[in-house]
Amino acid sequence: MADRVTAPRRRGYREGVGGEMLAEFLGTFVLILLGVGSVAVAVVGLPGSGRQFVDFGPANWLIICWGWGLAVVFGVYVAGGISGAHINPAVTLAFAVRRDFPLKKVPAYWLAQVCGAFVAAALVYACYRWAIDAADAKAGLARDESLATYSIFATFPAEYFGDSWWGPLLDQIVGTGILLLLVCALIDLKNVAPLSNLHPFLIGLVVVAIGLTFGTNAGYAINPARDFGPRLFTYFEGWGDIALPGTFGWFSGYWWIPIVGPLIGGVAGVLVYDLIIKPVVTARARAMEAQEEGPATEEA
């Protein structure tokens, strides 16, 4: 009987980049669902529900900062074992630049991340549209005039910047640079990286820290998908020029800043770590390995 020839099994989409795209989609979806949801609670949920009787203040900002930090934690846990849980185009580009990630996969990851963010924004809106409509009605504003309800979904610059683009752009570069610098430190096993799968918690704390220190300048998007996916949704849902091109009162044509700034900042962050810290920890690790091996000795 002739030997049976077994054809090589074709890889299913779940085993290749298709599966990684699904993980990035769902990880980003979780990130935006919980993060944008926390902003909805702070901006329209608590005030509109009768559970808050004072104006938006520091307590509301803490809800937002911790909401986004925990959103990062669980988004990373969802996708980490499959795609590395970039859930941020700036992370994807930065890892590609440092050659930790194939450049050819960057567009696929970006697409999955933006789609996940868009769908998550739509679901938050579906859950909070009554509160949003009530807030707009109370303020006497049409939807395309309501910066407050728009701010649930995407970012805008503080009024003190005026129509300057440089200040918000610098803020996004610095914020995302800090994020990637610290991510590189937290995943570097030759440094003092955390063990036992604690990376997501500490990366989430990094986002909390950025929100507490740089958040009020421009809403600390530090993630092009986090801003553009929900921004695109709000444009289609009636916020008009506030969303795209990003024009309201003191700012105009703002939409590109939370995209370009994080992409520049992410690359800058990894370059700073790789140029300053990585060579030192690599050299020290090699020295310790050589010391442990000891001098070669001849057998008698």
Side-chain angles (χ1 to χ4, degrees), residues 134-249:
D136 286 342
K138 183 177 180 180
L141 295 173
R143 177 164 292 180
D144 61 0
E145 300 172 334
S146 180
L147 182 64
T149 54
Y150 161 79
S151 71
I152 294 169
F153 299 95
T155 65
F156 65 92
E159 193 168 359
Y160 46 71
F161 285 120
D163 198 26
S164 168
W165 58 266
W166 170 239
L169 181 65
L170 177 63
D171 171 80
Q172 289 300 292
I173 292 172
V174 171
T176 316
I178 293 169
L179 173 65
L180 266 295
L181 170 67
L182 296 179
V183 166
C184 288
L186 289 170
I187 64 175
D188 189 349
L189 296 179
K190 294 178 181 177
N191 205 328
V192 287
L195 303 177
S196 302
N197 297 322
L198 287 176
H199 298 87
F201 278 101
L202 295 179
I203 293 171
L205 286 178
V206 170
V207 173
V208 173
I210 293 171
L212 292 175
T213 53
F214 288 92
T216 55
N217 272 339
Y220 75 111
I222 58 173
N223 181 337
R226 172 265 174 276
D227 189 84
F228 186 69
R231 182 180 295 271
L232 192 61
F233 171 78
T234 55
Y235 175 75
F236 289 126
E237 200 53 48
W239 275 271
D241 288 349
I242 303 178
L244 290 170
T247 298
F248 178 90

Side-chain angles (χ1 to χ4, degrees), residues 36-288:
V36 170
S38 73
V39 185
V41 167
V43 173
V44 296
L46 283 171
S49 67
R51 295 178 174 88
Q52 177 175 314
F53 303 99
V54 296
D55 293 336
F56 184 100
N60 300 77
W61 191 251
L62 287 174
I63 290 171
I64 292 170
C65 290
W66 281 103
W68 277 108
L70 292 171
V72 169
V73 170
F74 296 115
V76 172
Y77 272 125
V78 165
I82 301 168
S83 66
H86 296 182
I87 58 178
N88 182 340
V91 173
T92 302
L93 178 63
F95 283 1
V97 167
R98 76 187 313 224
R99 299 181 181 179
D100 282 348
F101 183 76
L103 189 62
K104 65 182 180 180
K105 289 185 178 182
V106 168
Y109 270 51
W110 283 3
L111 177 62
Q113 291 155 358
V114 172
C115 288
F118 182 94
V119 174
L123 184 54
V124 172
Y125 174 77
C127 293
Y128 277 97
R129 65 184 180 88
W130 293 272
I132 290 169
D133 290 343
D136 286 342
K138 183 177 180 180
L141 295 173
R143 177 164 292 180
D144 61 0
E145 300 172 334
S146 180
L147 182 64
T149 54
Y150 161 79
S151 71
I152 294 169
F153 299 95
T155 65
F156 65 92
E159 193 168 359
Y160 46 71
F161 285 120
D163 198 26
S164 168
W165 58 266
W166 170 239
L169 181 65
L170 177 63
D171 171 80
Q172 289 300 292
I173 292 172
V174 171
T176 316
I178 293 169
L179 173 65
L180 266 295
L181 170 67
L182 296 179
V183 166
C184 288
L186 289 170
I187 64 175
D188 189 349
L189 296 179
K190 294 178 181 177
N191 205 328
V192 287
L195 303 177
S196 302
N197 297 322
L198 287 176
H199 298 87
F201 278 101
L202 295 179
I203 293 171
L205 286 178
V206 170
V207 173
V208 173
I210 293 171
L212 292 175
T213 53
F214 288 92
T216 55
N217 272 339
Y220 75 111
I222 58 173
N223 181 337
R226 172 265 174 276
D227 189 84
F228 186 69
R231 182 180 295 271
L232 192 61
F233 171 78
T234 55
Y235 175 75
F236 289 126
E237 200 53 48
W239 275 271
D241 288 349
I242 303 178
L244 290 170
T247 298
F248 178 90
W250 60 90
F251 59 91
S252 60
Y254 183 76
W255 70 273
W256 63 274
I257 290 176
I259 297 174
V260 174
L263 293 177
I264 296 172
V267 172
V270 298
L271 290 178
V272 167
Y273 187 85
D274 288 350
L275 289 173
I276 297 176
I277 299 298
K278 189 174 181 179
V280 177
V281 296
T282 300
R284 292 193 173 197
R286 288 174 179 169
M288 289 181 65

